[in-house]
Structures are given as C-alpha cells and as structure tokens.
Amino acid sequence: MHKDCERILFSEEQLRSRVAEVAKEVDKLYKDKNPLCVGILKGSIIFYSDFIRHLTAPVALDFMAVSSYGGGSVSSGKLRIKKDLDNDVKGRDVIVIEDIIDSGFTLANLKQLLLERGANSVLIVTLLNKKGRREYDIAPDFNCFDIENEFVVGYGLDYSERYRALPYIGILKHEVYENK
Ligand code: IMP
Ligand code: MG
C-alpha cells in the first residue's frame, strides 16, 4: 500500500467484481440502443474503461472536463466546461460515467446541460457516492459503493493530481492534506 494511504477501502478484486456487476445491469437497459458514454475527466478514466468493456450494446465514447466557478458552496454557481464533447447529444441516450458524487453540484448541473442540449435520456453511473455530503437534488441511477465522508484516492481519483494510478481505492492520510 502507498505510504500516504491510511488503509485500502476497496481492493482491485472488489473493484473488478462490483464494476462488472453494475455494468452488466446497465447493459440490460441498453440492449437495443446506441448509447453515448460520457466520461468526466480525469477522475473517471479507469472506472470508465473497466465499465464500458462490459457493455454489449454498440456504444460511442466521449469525454468532458468540467469544474465549478469559485468555491464549492456557490449555490447558484454554474459549471465551467474545460473540454466539451465532440458529439452532438441531441436525441442520444447518454450514460454519464463519473468517479464520485459529493455535493452533487457537478452531476446536477451536467445532467441539466445535457437535457437542455436535447439528449433523449441521461443515465448517471458513479463509482462512489458520498451520500452524507449531498447539497444538490440529484442521485446516481447506478452506483458501485457508498462511502463515508473520507477523502479517497486511487483508481483514477486524485489529490492534487497525485495517486490516480493506484490500482485500489485508499483513504488518504489526513496529514497529507493538513501539511499543505
Ligand atoms: P461534487 O460536484 O461536489 O459532487 O464533487 C464531485 C467531484 O469532487 C468529483 O468529481 C471529484 O473530482 C471531487 N471529489 C470529491 N470527493 C473526492 C475524494 O474523496 N477524492 C477525490 N476527489 C473527490
Ligand atoms: Mg471529478
């Protein structure tokens, strides 16, 4: 285990089997469709690539990078699009694939944006859900694991662009961000 982690929350094996389980459930809903899988950069990349390999429907792949304006507590804030989709979502069945839902700001705003652009449907799939932190009225349609209010890294998730390549999800030691 990495020295900056307090403990491993989800091992490689736990991630592999739960991601497969959720992806197979989602796949049943899209058998006769041609969904556009939208990954939210960069945290979702590893989850995204593991997830889509269980889909049997003919999928198209796309990515977006977003951030919020200013601090996280701006309730009327809007999403800032750092990298937009290559595909037009009009009439498409979109599957949004995200690493973690925290306050819900990102996904609430993103879902609204995709619907405004004319998506036929928007399904939200998350790897992790910090339920206790929700500030916006949004819930994932599918989620792999509920977690407590701990800062986690690995399997795509970062702290200051570090730890994304760890193959497991670990709880980051408090002293790592307290010493900053
Ligand atoms: P929300 O918009 O408040 O729901 O925040 C979601 C975003 O916050 C995620 O896409 C992550 O980038 C980031 N985030 C929240 N909690 C964590 C964590 O524990 N580890 C790494 N990133 C996190
Ligand atoms: Mg993110």
Side-chain angles (χ1 to χ4, degrees):
M1 185 180 69
H2 194 289
K3 63 168 178 48
D4 292 350
C5 289
E6 197 172 287
R7 65 186 171 93
I8 292 177
L9 193 55
F10 302 113
S11 67
E12 288 188 69
E13 186 43 45
Q14 282 174 297
L15 290 164
R16 188 171 22 249
S17 73
R18 180 61 182 149
V19 170
E21 188 175 56
V22 170
K24 284 170 190 170
E25 273 183 60
V26 171
D27 192 47
K28 288 183 199 155
L29 306 177
Y30 288 83
K31 279 267 178 288
D32 305 313
K33 293 179 177 160
N34 172 25
L36 181 68
C37 295
V38 171
I40 310 307
L41 298 172
K42 293 174 247 184
S44 76
I45 57 158
I46 298 177
F47 173 46
Y48 183 98
S49 58
D50 283 347
F51 179 87
I52 59 165
R53 283 180 289 172
H54 295 284
L55 303 181
T56 57
V59 295
L61 310 185
D62 212 336
F63 298 92
M64 254 180 127
V66 297
S67 67
S68 48
Y69 285 111
S73 56
V74 188
S75 58
S76 63
K78 269 218 138 192
L79 212 58
R80 187 165 74 91
I81 299 173
K82 295 194 287 185
K83 182 230 174 285
D84 209 338
L85 298 169
D86 295 331
N87 290 261
D88 184 355
V89 299
K90 194 173 281 237
R92 299 297 302 264
D93 294 303
V94 177
I95 304 176
V96 173
I97 299 163
E98 173 64 313
D99 53 0
I100 186 166
I101 178 165
D102 188 38
S103 73
F105 175 87
T106 308
L107 287 171
N109 281 280
L110 190 64
K111 182 169 183 176
Q112 192 190 342
L113 176 75
L114 295 170
L115 290 171
E116 278 168 13
R117 287 180 177 182
N120 182 56
S121 65
V122 177
L123 187 92
I124 292 177
V125 181
T126 50
L127 175 69
L128 305 172
N129 184 3
K130 281 187 187 172
K131 268 188 179 166
R133 299 254 310 163
R134 201 61 28 82
E135 290 172 34
Y136 294 82
D137 185 24
I138 183 111
D141 297 293
F142 289 87
N143 171 58
C144 297
F145 301 100
D146 286 327
I147 65 167
E148 299 300 316
N149 183 22
E150 302 266 23
F151 200 87
V152 294
V153 294
Y155 197 66
L157 290 100
D158 75 312
Y159 171 66
S160 278
E161 294 302 327
R162 292 163 66 202
Y163 316 108
R164 290 195 196 274
L166 297 178
Y168 49 82
I169 300 268
I171 297 178
L172 194 63
K173 284 182 179 165
H174 290 238
E175 66 225 48
V176 176
Y177 40 97
E178 277 156 13
N179 288 344
K180 276 273 154 185

